[in-house]
Amino acid sequence: MGYARKVGWVTAGLVIGAGACYCIYRLARGRKQNKEKMAEGGPADVDDAGDCPGARYNDWSDDDDDDRNESKSIVWYPPWARIGTEAGTRARARARARATRARRAVQKRASPNSDDTVLSPQELQKVLCLVEMSEKPYILEAALIALGNNAAYAFNRDIIWDLGGLPIVAKILNTQDPIVKEKALIVLNNLSVNAENQRRLKVYMNQVCDDTITSRLNSSVQLAGLRLLTNMTVTNEYQHILANSISDFFCLFSAGNEETKLQVLKLLLNLPENPAMTRELLRAQVPASLGSLFSKKENKEVILKLLIIFENINDNFKWEENEPAQTHFSENSLFFFLKEFQVCADKVLGIESHQDFLVKVKVGKFAAKLTERMFPKSQE
C-alpha cells in the first residue's frame, strides 16, 4: 500500500509539472506572437470577428484611467486585477501596457509617416469594420485617422464609397466624443473633394451645419465642421442648404477667435460669388459688434477677407433696382448695415490710418465702390 501511494504521488506530481510547463509554453508563445504582430504593424491584442478581422476586443471593464496623456483612452483590466494585492497591481500594469501597445499598433498603420499609409481595399475593409463594430474611442480615433489619410488619395475615395464607408463614417457624427467626431469630420472633408461624393454628402449638410454652430466655440470639432462646409460650398450647387444658417455664421464670426474668424470667412467667401445667394447674405441678421471688427487691433487677413465679401456683394447686387425691395430686409440685416453708408463709412474709414498699406488701399476702394453704387446721382 505504501509503495502504491508513493507511485500515485509521483504520478500526480508529473501531471502537475507537465501542466505548468504547458502553461509557461503557451504564455511564452503568446508573447512571441504578439511581438511578431507588433513588428508587422498590426494590433497585438486584437482578435478576429468573423468576416471583420480585428473587430472584436477584450470586454474587460475600466473604472479609473488616470493617464491623461493617452487622449482619454480606455484600458481594460481583468476582474481579478482589481484585488488590492501585489499580483493585482502587476496584472493592472500589464493590462495597461497591452492596451497602449494595441493603440500604438493601430496608430502606426494610420501614421502619415508610415510606409503603410496607402491601404489596400482589403485593409480598408478591415478599418471600416473597426469603425462600424468598435465602441472603444481610441480604436475609433486611430481607425478614422487611417481612413482620413487614405481618403486624401483620389483612387481610394471611390473604394471607400464602394465599401459602404461614407454612411459608416457619417453615422459617427452622432457620437458625443469630440475627438472621434472631429476625426469623422476630417474623413468626410477629404471625401468631399470628389464631386460625386459631394452629391452623396449633401444629405448630411444640415446635421454638420447644426453641429458646427452648436459646438463649443473655437473647438476642433467646430473648425473641422467649418472646413467640411467650405468644401461643400465651393460650387453653387449646394450653397442654398446653408441659407438659413448665414446669420449664425456671422454671429460665430463675431464671437470666435482669430482662427475661427478666418475659417468662417473662407466659408462666406464662397457665397457672394453666387448671385442667387447675394440676397440671402443681405437678409442675414448681423450682430451689432460686426462694425467693431474694423479696428487697428484686428488681424489684417480678417479685415481684407471681410472687405472682399462686402465688395462681392456690392458687385452682384443692383442697389438702384432693388430700392423698392428694401422693406423685405430687417433693420438688423446686412443690407441695412451696408445701406446706412454714413455709419458704415465711419467704421470702415476709421481704419484708414491702419499701419498696413494694403488694408488702407482696400478700405479706399470699398468706400468708393459703395458710394458709387448706392448714391450714383450724388456724383453728378
Side-chain angles (χ1 to χ4, degrees):
M1 292 291 291
Y3 179 78
R5 181 175 298 176
K6 288 181 180 179
V7 172
W9 281 111
V10 171
T11 304
L14 290 173
V15 172
I16 293 173
C21 290
Y22 180 74
C23 290
I24 293 173
Y25 164 75
R26 292 290 296 174
L27 179 61
R29 184 182 179 186
R31 288 181 176 175
K32 182 179 179 181
Q33 290 176 344
N34 277 345
K35 289 181 180 179
E36 292 174 352
K37 290 181 180 179
M38 289 296 294
E40 296 172 357
D45 293 301
V46 180
D47 298 326
D48 291 347
D51 294 331
C52 297
R56 189 171 64 191
Y57 300 87
N58 296 326
D59 55 357
W60 298 335
S61 61
D62 172 61
D63 291 331
D64 52 342
D65 181 8
D66 297 327
D67 189 359
R68 296 181 182 273
N69 294 327
E70 296 297 342
S71 301
K72 299 182 181 179
S73 58
I74 300 175
V75 179
W76 296 271
Y77 305 112
W80 46 268
R82 299 186 182 281
I83 302 174
T85 63
E86 185 178 351
T89 301
R90 288 197 302 268
R92 289 170 64 84
R94 287 195 299 270
R96 186 185 293 273
R98 280 197 301 270
T100 301
R101 288 196 302 270
R103 177 166 54 255
R104 289 174 180 171
V106 177
Q107 289 174 342
K108 181 180 178 182
R109 298 299 298 268
S111 173
N113 299 321
S114 172
D115 293 336
D116 296 325
T117 299
V118 182
L119 303 180
S120 67
Q122 293 77 15
E123 290 171 322
L124 284 172
Q125 177 69 70
K126 294 177 183 180
V127 174
L128 285 170
C129 284
L130 288 176
V131 175
E132 188 172 24
M133 304 290 290
S134 179
E135 297 180 356
K136 298 174 176 58
Y138 77 85
I139 295 293
L140 283 171
E141 179 186 356
L144 288 167
I145 290 174
L147 281 178
N149 289 337
N150 279 269
Y153 297 94
F155 57 86
N156 267 340
R157 294 183 194 121
D158 290 334
I159 294 175
I160 293 173
W161 165 254
D162 292 337
L163 293 173
L166 198 151
I168 290 175
V169 176
K171 188 177 179 181
I172 303 297
L173 295 177
N174 296 321
T175 184
Q176 298 301 314
D177 189 304
I179 297 176
V180 174
K181 179 176 285 191
E182 177 201 358
K183 297 301 183 290
L185 286 168
I186 291 173
V187 176
L188 296 178
N189 185 37
N190 288 344
L191 291 173
S192 69
V193 177
N194 183 302
E196 183 62 23
N197 278 341
Q198 284 196 355
R199 183 184 64 79
R200 300 157 179 162
L201 279 166
K202 68 178 181 179
V203 298
Y204 305 108
M205 283 185 66
N206 283 326
Q207 180 183 355
V208 173
C209 190
D210 292 342
D211 287 347
T212 299
I213 292 169
T214 58
S215 292
R216 183 170 58 85
L217 185 64
N218 305 322
S219 65
S220 298
V221 173
Q222 191 169 77
L223 290 170
L226 286 170
R227 293 187 186 101
L228 173 56
L229 293 173
T230 301
N231 266 355
M232 291 294 295
T233 54
V234 169
T235 61
N236 299 347
E237 196 167 355
Y238 310 115
Q239 291 179 353
H240 65 279
I241 299 176
L242 302 184
N244 295 329
S245 301
I246 295 176
S247 299
D248 295 317
F249 288 127
F250 273 110
C251 290
L252 187 59
F253 169 75
S254 296
N257 61 16
E258 186 175 300
E259 187 176 10
T260 300
K261 281 184 172 69
L262 288 172
Q263 198 57 55
V264 172
L265 287 174
K266 289 178 183 178
L267 170 60
L268 294 177
L269 273 168
N270 290 338
L271 306 183
E273 296 181 5
N274 178 7
M277 292 298 295
T278 302
R279 183 174 292 273
E280 299 297 338
L281 283 162
L282 289 169
R283 186 181 290 118
Q285 302 293 297
V286 296
S289 59
L290 182 63
S292 64
L293 293 172
F294 293 97
S295 68
K296 299 178 184 179
K297 297 180 180 179
E298 191 58 65
N299 178 277
K300 162 191 169 182
E301 192 175 355
V302 171
I303 296 175
L304 292 177
K305 279 184 167 54
L306 190 59
L307 286 173
I308 291 172
I309 292 173
F310 289 168
E311 285 178 351
N312 288 340
I313 292 175
N314 188 45
D315 291 341
N316 288 328
F317 189 76
K318 300 186 182 304
W319 296 92
E320 61 279 4
E321 294 180 7
N322 287 277
E323 188 74 23
Q326 61 180 303
T327 55
H328 296 262
F329 301 98
S330 66
E331 293 184 1
N332 295 323
S333 66
L334 182 61
F335 176 87
F336 274 94
F337 179 84
L338 297 178
K339 185 67 177 174
E340 295 175 2
F341 174 72
Q342 189 60 47
V343 176
C344 186
D346 290 341
K347 293 172 181 176
V348 175
L349 296 177
I351 61 169
E352 274 196 326
S353 58
H354 197 282
Q355 59 184 359
D356 188 273
F357 177 75
L358 184 58
V359 171
K360 290 190 286 187
V361 171
K362 280 286 187 182
V363 169
K365 286 185 176 180
F366 172 71
K369 280 187 176 182
L370 206 59
T371 302
E372 179 183 355
R373 295 295 299 277
M374 296 180 68
F375 302 100
K377 295 180 181 181
S378 62
Q379 297 183 354
E380 293 180 357

